[in-house]
Amino acid sequence: MRAFKSAVTRRINQIREHIMNNPTHWQSDVENAGARWRCAPAKGIFSIHNLLLSIAALICAVIAGPASAQHAGHGSASPYAGQQSRAIKSLSEEDIAELRRGGGWGLAKAAELNGMPGPAHLLELADQIALDAEQRTAIRAGYESMRDAAIAEGERLIALERELDAHFRQRTITDAELRRLLDAIAASLGRLRYIHLSTHLSTPSLLTEHQIARYKALRGYGTNPCDQVPAGHDPALWRKHNDCR
C-alpha cells in the first residue's frame, strides 16, 4: 500500500510538472461562471489509471484558472494598433487628403441627412436631377467658395494637430500648452464645420421640390419618388421630372 501511495505521489508530481512546463498542451474552459472545468491532455502523453486522470484534471483546473485569467489580460490588441506609425497620430492619411481637398469629412451630415443637399453632390448628379444652366452656375459658385475656404481652414487644423502631436512625441507638452492647442483645434473644427454647413443653407432655394426628392432618392436617403406621386402634382410631369421609367 505504501509503495502504491509513493507511486501515485510521484505520478501526480510528474503530471503537475508537465502541466506547468507545457501549458499549451492543455485546454481549459470555464462554463457557467467557472462552475465546471474540462481539461484535455495532449494525445499520447498519458495511459494511466482513471484515478490519476481525475487528480490530474483537478491540478489542471487549479493551475489553469489563474493562468487563463492572466493571459486574457495580455491577449487583446488595441484598436489603435498600427496607427503609431502615422505622421499625425490623430489623423489618417485619408483624413489629411480629405481636408486638403476641401472635402466634407462628414461635417455636414446635419444638413445633408435632413433634406438640404450639398453643392458637391448636386453637381455630381446634375444631369440626373436635371439642373438647368442657371442652377448649375449658382451651385458651382457656392461650391467653389466653400471649397477654397475649407481648404484654408483644413490646413490650419492639420497644422494644429501636427503641433499637438509633436509636443506629446517630444515630451514638451504642458497643461497650459495643451489647453491652448485644444481650444485652437476646437475653434478651427467649428469654423470648418460652419463652412460646410452654411453652404447647404442656400441650396434648397435653388432647387425645385422634385429635384430635392430626386436627389434624396439617388443618394439613398428616402423612398423612390417614382413609387408614389404626391397629392396635387400632375403624375406625368412628376414622373418626367424624376426620370421615372
Side-chain angles (χ1 to χ4, degrees), residues 88 91 95-102 147-163 188 191-192 195:
I88 302 174
L91 297 174
D95 291 331
I96 294 172
E98 181 81 348
L99 290 168
R100 283 183 167 161
R101 73 175 186 85
R147 181 196 59 198
D148 292 345
I151 289 173
E153 194 59 54
E155 289 291 354
R156 280 191 284 271
L157 180 59
I158 292 169
L160 288 167
E161 289 286 0
R162 180 181 289 111
E163 185 179 356
S188 178
R191 288 191 297 270
L192 186 59
I195 290 167

Side-chain angles (χ1 to χ4, degrees), residues 3-243:
F4 175 74
K5 288 182 178 179
S6 297
V8 170
T9 300
R10 285 197 303 273
R11 195 54 177 152
I12 290 173
N13 288 334
Q14 290 173 356
I15 294 170
R16 185 178 187 281
E17 183 178 356
H18 179 78
I19 294 171
M20 294 292 291
N21 294 333
N22 301 276
T24 58
H25 287 170
W26 292 79
Q27 197 177 28
S28 63
D29 60 20
V30 181
E31 298 176 0
N32 300 326
R36 291 179 296 168
W37 283 85
R38 181 180 69 253
C39 297
K43 185 178 180 181
I45 295 177
F46 301 106
S47 58
I48 65 173
H49 194 275
N50 287 341
L51 172 62
L52 293 180
L53 288 176
S54 298
I55 296 172
L58 288 173
I59 296 173
C60 178
V62 172
I63 295 173
S68 297
Q70 182 179 11
H71 287 299
H74 297 287
S76 55
S78 167
Y80 308 138
Q83 297 180 11
Q84 68 275 10
S85 59
R86 288 178 174 179
I88 302 174
K89 305 302 182 287
S90 58
L91 297 174
S92 68
E93 291 183 5
E94 292 77 12
D95 291 331
I96 294 172
E98 181 81 348
L99 290 168
R100 283 183 167 161
R101 73 175 186 85
W105 211 37
L107 296 176
K109 287 183 180 180
E112 175 75 8
L113 299 179
N114 279 298
M116 302 181 75
H121 297 304
L122 281 172
L123 293 173
E124 291 170 3
L125 300 171
D127 291 338
Q128 292 165 277
I129 299 172
L131 295 179
D132 61 31
E134 186 177 349
Q135 287 175 316
R136 294 181 192 224
T137 298
I139 292 171
R140 184 174 291 107
Y143 166 70
E144 291 175 353
S145 176
M146 176 273 294
R147 181 196 59 198
D148 292 345
I151 289 173
E153 194 59 54
E155 289 291 354
R156 280 191 284 271
L157 180 59
I158 292 169
L160 288 167
E161 289 286 0
R162 180 181 289 111
E163 185 179 356
L164 178 67
D165 189 85
H167 273 301
F168 273 99
R169 184 175 63 253
Q170 297 164 8
R171 304 297 189 270
T172 55
I173 194 69
T174 63
D175 184 76
E177 190 66 8
L178 179 60
R179 288 180 181 276
R180 181 190 71 80
L181 282 169
L182 291 180
D183 286 345
I185 288 170
S188 178
L189 189 57
R191 288 191 297 270
L192 186 59
R193 194 176 186 195
Y194 173 80
I195 290 167
H196 285 287
L197 282 170
S198 61
T199 309
H200 285 247
L201 295 177
S202 63
T203 57
S205 63
L206 299 173
L207 304 169
T208 67
E209 181 182 344
H210 307 288
Q211 289 171 323
I212 293 176
R214 180 66 174 154
Y215 175 89
K216 290 169 66 177
L218 290 170
R219 296 284 287 160
Y221 301 146
T223 58
N224 189 333
C226 299
D227 292 340
Q228 184 176 0
V229 179
H233 291 273
D234 180 87
L237 289 176
W238 177 268
R239 295 184 185 283
K240 178 181 179 181
H241 290 157
N242 287 285
D243 195 26

